[in-house]
Amino acid sequence: MDSFLVSPNGPLKGDVCISGSKNAVLPVMAAAMLANGISKISNVPNLKDTSTMSDVLRVIGCRIKEDKDCLSIDSSDINHLEAPYELVKTMRASFYVLGPLVAKYGKCRVSLPGGCAWGPRPVDLHLKGLEALGAKINVTHGYVEALIDGKLKGNTFSFPISSVGATANILMAATLAEGTSVLQNSSIEPEITALAEYLTGMGAKINGIGTRTLIVEGVENLNPGNGPTIADRIEAGTFLAAAAITRGKVKATNMVPAHQGALLEVFERIGCKITQGDNWVELDAEGCELLPAHIVTMPYPGFPTDMQAQLMALLATVKGTSSVRDTIYNDRFKHVSELNRLGADISLKEDTALINGGGELTGAPVMASDLRASAALVLAGLVAKEQTEISRIYHLDRGYENFESKLSALGAKLERVNG
Ligand code: EPZ
């Protein structure tokens, strides 16, 4: 298993081009199965998770071609309505195949995704939503078996809590249901808006895109899709946090500033200077005395849970008492013990991390536990004295394209060691 060796090398400086979004492309890849024919997706990031999703689609019977950052997905000859545990257990987003398969073929069998590094990740809302559209759901032997006689029926369904994945699954299923579905309290993350736009391009009839009430008029068939992947707002945020923790100046380009939600306001509240253009955001922390902050994660457009680990690493270097409360995943704190090994002073109280920031960080061997925790450890390694060795960085490879080359181009000193 590969590791990173990271050493401090001063403030990061320069421009970084942001890749396509992992969390946008994965549901769109599943949506391709709603049509018969060859769907195309561009600006696809080259990630472990995108290749895992391709493997899942191939097992189901799709033929997939990659041409640089473009994917072609031919769903004409799907012949195996099952997503196996061996693949689904490695990537929860494989569960996105459930909605499209049951909507189009009337039945399918998808492994339950199981937990993840920071605890249980239920799928009850996905199942309740499909039942509301008339699917018969049976959970047995670790698999979800979904069945309908005839077609799914449009209905009104209100998500009790905001769920990105459940919104994606039920939205995709509703596009082929008979009649109209009203999906209330839908997630409005940019990835969901992008999915709805891609589905519209396939011929789906969706009103309310970008709002919490999606009105879907089911259609008989959908045509193959063709569209780009939006930029990865979490990758952009991660590089801006890297600029902040090294007190540098970095411009993230080829991205959508408006998708950053509350993140830019938090960087400014901490004392970073933020400027932005149509498709770029620059964070300047050179010579800044940053301020502690109290952060609470919320569904979009609130502060994203996928940035809380990175901000925790930053706040560990800021004098004073800060806190990070995660209201989405109240146990997403595997990175705390590893950051403390680097000299941070972070304690946990239920769903909140209390950070006594400003102490000196010193390099040490640490272990990555999940995608965003790994990024947080790299950020801390950029300023921890001497060298930090981060093991199990396969977690990073799941969601950050060319991470080490992009960071090195900004002046970071890090190398990958093949383990
Ligand atoms: C998506 O996960 C993202 N993954 C996650 O990013 C992200 O952290 C999360 O949304 C929240 O923004 C992808 O898009 C592939 P949810 P998802 O359903 O859809 C609870 C990363 O680092 N819930 O919005 O699985 C759930 O436990 C990853 O890129 C239920 O209770 O998240 C959580 O508390 C990590 N029942 C809350 O809802 C359900 O059926 C939000 O989860 C579904 C979810």
Side-chain angles (χ1 to χ4, degrees), residues 22-23 92 121-125 163-165 306 328-329 372:
K22 165 178 83 81
N23 291 352
R92 172 185 172 78
R121 302 274 296 275
V123 290
D124 56 314
L125 303 182
S163 164
V164 174
D306 291 349
I328 311 285
Y329 299 111
R372 308 307 174 180

Side-chain angles (χ1 to χ4, degrees), residues 22-24 26-27 49 92-93 96 118 120-127 161-167 187 189 191 233-234 298-299 304-306 327-330 332 370-372:
K22 165 178 83 81
N23 291 352
L26 294 174
D49 274 11
R92 172 185 172 78
Y96 282 144
W118 65 79
R121 302 274 296 275
V123 290
D124 56 314
L125 303 182
H126 299 243
L127 306 185
I161 57 170
S162 179
S163 164
V164 174
T167 300
S187 290
E189 271 68 0
E191 294 77 27
R233 62 191 171 102
I234 303 302
M298 295 297 281
T305 175
D306 291 349
T327 67
I328 311 285
Y329 299 111
N330 56 20
R332 189 179 189 172
D370 62 87
L371 174 56
R372 308 307 174 180

Side-chain angles (χ1 to χ4, degrees), residues 322-361:
S322 297
S323 66
V324 174
R325 180 173 172 232
D326 199 326
T327 67
I328 311 285
Y329 299 111
N330 56 20
D331 49 3
R332 189 179 189 172
F333 293 114
K334 280 263 182 177
H335 41 284
V336 168
S337 52
E338 298 307 292
L339 288 170
N340 284 342
R341 278 183 51 73
L342 297 175
D345 178 3
I346 305 171
S347 55
L348 280 178
K349 192 167 182 309
E350 289 156 7
D351 63 356
T352 302
L354 293 167
I355 302 142
N356 178 19
E360 183 180 63
L361 299 186

Side-chain angles (χ1 to χ4, degrees), residues 158-418:
S158 181
F159 294 95
I161 57 170
S162 179
S163 164
V164 174
T167 300
N169 241 330
I170 308 314
L171 171 61
M172 289 188 281
T175 60
L176 290 181
E178 264 170 3
T180 300
S181 298
V182 179
L183 307 181
Q184 297 167 331
N185 195 30
S186 297
S187 290
I188 57 170
E189 271 68 0
E191 294 77 27
I192 293 297
T193 297
L195 171 64
E197 286 165 354
Y198 192 88
L199 288 166
T200 302
M202 295 172 76
K205 292 190 170 36
I206 305 169
N207 285 310
I209 295 177
T211 77
R212 293 201 181 282
T213 301
L214 296 171
I215 300 167
V216 187
E217 189 189 324
V219 294
E220 193 63 31
N221 294 299
L222 289 176
N223 308 310
N226 188 348
T229 307
I230 60 170
D232 193 317
R233 62 191 171 102
I234 303 302
E235 183 197 16
T238 301
F239 279 104
L240 295 178
I245 200 169
T246 58
R247 307 309 187 259
K249 183 176 176 181
V250 168
K251 180 188 273 190
T253 63
N254 189 39
M255 49 85 79
V256 183
H259 288 173
Q260 297 306 307
L263 186 58
L264 301 185
E265 180 274 326
V266 165
F267 280 129
E268 288 182 312
R269 191 166 11 121
I270 290 173
C272 302
K273 289 193 261 337
I274 295 286
T275 48
Q276 55 185 282
D278 292 346
N279 65 349
W280 59 268
V281 170
E282 182 172 78
L283 184 145
D284 181 356
E286 286 184 321
C288 292
E289 183 68 32
L290 300 186
L291 305 168
H294 299 284
I295 291 169
V296 181
T297 69
M298 295 297 281
Y300 189 84
F303 185 89
T305 175
D306 291 349
M307 280 298 304
Q308 66 100 326
Q310 300 92 310
L311 259 285
M312 200 181 292
L314 168 57
L315 292 169
T317 70
V318 176
K319 213 172 192 53
T321 303
S322 297
S323 66
V324 174
R325 180 173 172 232
D326 199 326
T327 67
I328 311 285
Y329 299 111
N330 56 20
D331 49 3
R332 189 179 189 172
F333 293 114
K334 280 263 182 177
H335 41 284
V336 168
S337 52
E338 298 307 292
L339 288 170
N340 284 342
R341 278 183 51 73
L342 297 175
D345 178 3
I346 305 171
S347 55
L348 280 178
K349 192 167 182 309
E350 289 156 7
D351 63 356
T352 302
L354 293 167
I355 302 142
N356 178 19
E360 183 180 63
L361 299 186
T362 53
V366 288
M367 186 165 74
S369 54
D370 62 87
L371 174 56
R372 308 307 174 180
S374 322
L377 294 177
V378 173
L379 265 52
L382 295 174
V383 293
K385 273 183 80 176
E386 280 106 54
Q387 189 177 74
T388 296
E389 180 182 4
I390 304 165
S391 58
R392 302 191 180 188
I393 54 153
Y394 60 83
H395 290 290
L396 265 172
D397 298 335
R398 291 190 51 177
Y400 287 99
E401 186 181 50
N402 303 328
F403 196 53
E404 63 259 44
S405 57
K406 289 184 178 183
L407 271 173
S408 304
L410 294 172
K413 193 171 170 209
L414 83 162
E415 63 171 307
R416 180 184 290 256
V417 174
N418 301 104

